[in-house]
Amino acid sequence: MSTMVYPREEALERLSQDEIVLNTKAVMQGLETLRGEHAQLLNSLLDCTQPPVAQEKSGLLRKSLEAIELGLGEAQVIIALSSHLSAVESEKQKLRAQVRRLCQENQWLRDELAGTQHKLQRSEQSVAQLEEEKKHLEFMNQIKKFDDDVSPSEEKNQSSGGSTGGGGDASKDNLDDLFPNDDDQGPAQPSGEVAAQQGGYEIPARLRTLHNLVIQYASQGRYEVAVPLCKQALEDLEKTSGHDHPDVATMLNILALVYRDQNKYKEAAHLLNDALAIREKTLGKDHPAVAATLNNLAVLYGKRGKYKEAEPLCKRALEIREKVLGKYHPDVAKQLNNLALLCQNQGKYDEVEYYYGRALEIYESKLGADDPNVAKTKNNLATCYLKQGKFADAEALYKEILTRAHEKEFGSVNNDNKPIWMHAEEREESKVTFKRSKEKKKSWISFFLNSPTVNTTLKSLGALYRRQGKLEAAETLEECASKSRKQGIDAINQSKVVELLKDGGSGSDRRHSREGMNGPGGQRGENEGDDSAEWNGVT
């Protein structure tokens, strides 16, 4: 009778799957051998002549045979399970191989897609660049045609007008048309004064056209077109006229303002300093163009918060303009506004009030009390009063602006024709709902929509009312301001391009208003009069 040798449990725990299968087969062979031996013993017992003893032993043998059969069945199950696990592992390996292949294909497709997208992007950039080059060439062709259309007699008249200081309309257009300003509604200047402003320097017509085109692109946020256009023009001017030429300085000023709108202050400061050096060298240190560059450089420093560095530049620009234009010229008032804003940010409120007072005096005497610059300057002065806590003085100025605007639009004030702030205060006193006819409300809203300065005053006075606890009055003004703003957004967006083409300077004002870049002051209310002065100073 053979004996079965089983491995120890410690050895079984360290066996691999193949070793377990081999051991199981060995055990099956041993069990089959035992089964055969037990069968022989059972047959021999059954043939024995001692039935009681044979029956007892045969019962034990049968139990042993049943245990052997059970062991054989379990061994077969183990072998079948091992085969199944091997098949599962094989399928698993196949799936892993497929996953790796799919990952590689996916990565390849991603690389192909990225490459295709990159090619598409380069193609789109090439198409856009070609389109812009086409537009630039068409524009340059138009400028060339425009220059060719100028007759020799007209050129002679223009040059003689600029050199003799006399003149007329041809010489007056040199500066005024280059940087038009819808706020300058005063009377025409005498020819001698115009000649003094220009100092004999005439800006070419192509630069005026180029400036308006650049402003249009910049107002639309298309700096990728405006900057290359300026650089190309600057390069052409330097090749034809040399670096130290007034036209090059004018182009440097235009490019610097585009960089300033992009918040590239270092590049803008470098260009403005270069333009200042050229103008001082070629035109003299007391030329209006030098004052304009000084003003632009001061505004740039103000935007960067360098108010102390900006103030002496602004004062020097003021001295030049007072010397050349006289102390009561509207451009002097604009310079006073900028200087007041710089002082206001440094807390020099006495100087601020003095400069705003002088600017108001100039605007009212030269342009009239109804000129928009008067209301803008009063708004700025009211903001100065607010910062000092002089709420009564600020409130009086706001009411004065609204009353003057109301009288200009709707006639003299009486019981049946009151400005909006009076209705607001009546509502505050009676605590009743603000009720007016629809026609009256529509006329007010249309008026505020067409007068941004008055609308700003309306919101400022509403905020002041709210600070004083006059909530009903504040809500009345804010309701009119919000309705006029809501109704005006679509109209402004639709007519912006048309207005830009009509007036190149006003587009810059709208752009500054949209982007919140309103000059050194940093606040919309105190910078209403600053935008036009910045762009007007490029010359």
Side-chain angles (χ1 to χ4, degrees), residues 349-476:
Y349 296 115
D350 292 338
E351 296 182 31
V352 173
E353 294 182 14
Y354 170 72
Y355 292 138
Y356 279 142
R358 279 195 59 194
L360 275 175
E361 182 183 357
I362 295 172
Y363 282 137
E364 290 176 345
S365 62
K366 292 295 183 179
L367 305 180
D370 293 328
D371 186 78
N373 286 303
V374 174
K376 291 180 181 180
T377 306
K378 287 182 178 179
N379 256 324
N380 295 344
L381 181 56
T383 303
C384 174
Y385 286 150
L386 288 177
K387 290 194 173 185
Q388 298 178 77
K390 299 179 180 180
F391 302 126
D393 295 336
E395 183 178 351
L397 273 180
Y398 288 141
K399 290 179 179 179
E400 183 180 340
I401 296 171
L402 294 176
T403 303
R404 184 76 181 184
H406 183 90
E407 291 176 345
K408 181 181 177 182
E409 185 73 17
F410 303 109
S412 59
V413 176
N414 52 49
N415 291 332
D416 297 329
N417 186 26
K418 297 179 180 179
I420 183 65
W421 66 266
M422 287 187 180
H423 290 285
E425 292 193 347
E426 289 176 359
R427 178 184 177 186
E428 178 66 32
E429 292 174 1
S430 59
K431 302 295 183 181
V432 296
T433 305
F434 178 54
K435 295 181 180 179
R436 292 293 292 174
S437 65
K438 291 184 178 179
E439 292 76 9
K440 190 65 176 177
K441 281 189 176 181
K442 287 182 180 179
S443 63
W444 271 339
I445 292 174
S446 176
F447 172 55
F448 296 140
L449 174 62
N450 294 326
S451 180
T453 302
V454 177
N455 196 16
T456 300
T457 306
L458 195 69
K459 291 185 287 187
S460 300
L461 183 56
L464 181 57
Y465 278 153
R466 190 171 292 279
R467 177 181 290 182
Q468 294 173 346
K470 300 177 181 180
L471 302 183
E472 296 292 335
E475 290 178 1
T476 302

Side-chain angles (χ1 to χ4, degrees), residues 180 212 216 495-507 510:
N212 292 333
Q216 179 181 348
S495 62
K496 180 172 66 175
V497 176
V498 177
E499 292 175 354
L500 281 170
L501 294 176
K502 289 181 179 178
D503 188 353
S506 60
R510 284 187 296 277

Side-chain angles (χ1 to χ4, degrees), residues 21 54 60 88 102 137 166 210 234 272 279 287 300 307 334 336 363 373 394 434 438 442 455 471 481 496 519:
V21 172
L60 294 174
V88 169
L102 291 175
L137 291 175
L210 180 62
L234 182 61
L272 287 175
R279 285 181 167 174
H287 195 276
L300 180 65
Y307 305 117
K334 290 177 183 179
L336 287 167
Y363 282 137
N373 286 303
F434 178 54
K438 291 184 178 179
K442 287 182 180 179
N455 196 16
L471 302 183
K496 180 172 66 175

Side-chain angles (χ1 to χ4, degrees), residues 183-309:
D183 296 335
D184 293 336
Q185 301 173 357
Q189 303 172 19
S191 58
E193 188 176 352
V194 174
Q197 291 182 43
Q198 296 176 33
Y201 167 59
E202 179 184 356
I203 297 177
R206 63 178 181 274
L207 280 187
R208 295 199 297 268
T209 307
L210 180 62
H211 171 264
N212 292 333
L213 185 62
V214 168
I215 283 192
Q216 179 181 348
Y217 282 137
S219 65
Q220 298 171 358
R222 300 177 64 185
Y223 298 109
E224 73 281 359
V225 182
V227 173
L229 190 61
C230 291
K231 288 183 176 180
Q232 182 63 43
L234 182 61
E235 183 179 351
D236 295 341
L237 286 172
E238 289 180 338
K239 287 181 180 179
T240 56
S241 305
H243 182 71
D244 294 334
H245 193 275
D247 291 349
V248 175
T250 300
M251 201 64 239
L252 288 170
N253 268 277
I254 297 173
L255 181 57
L257 293 183
V258 176
Y259 277 148
R260 187 192 68 186
D261 286 353
Q262 295 180 278
N263 297 329
K264 297 180 178 180
Y265 297 127
K266 291 184 178 179
E267 294 88 340
H270 176 73
L271 294 176
L272 287 175
N273 282 312
D274 194 8
L276 180 62
I278 294 174
R279 285 181 167 174
E280 287 181 338
K281 180 179 179 181
T282 58
L283 303 177
K285 293 187 177 182
D286 292 334
H287 195 276
V290 175
T293 307
L294 288 168
N295 175 70
N296 291 337
L297 196 56
V299 171
L300 180 65
Y301 284 149
K303 285 181 177 293
R304 300 176 66 182
K306 298 181 177 181
Y307 305 117
K308 291 184 179 180
E309 293 86 342

Side-chain angles (χ1 to χ4, degrees), residues 11 18 44 77 92 119 178 200 203 237 294 325 328 405 407 441 467 512 528-529 531 533:
D18 294 336
S44 63
V77 169
K92 185 178 178 181
K119 292 179 181 178
L178 179 56
I203 297 177
L237 286 172
L294 288 168
L325 308 177
Y328 291 94
E407 291 176 345
K441 281 189 176 181
R467 177 181 290 182
H512 288 304
E528 285 290 328
D531 295 7

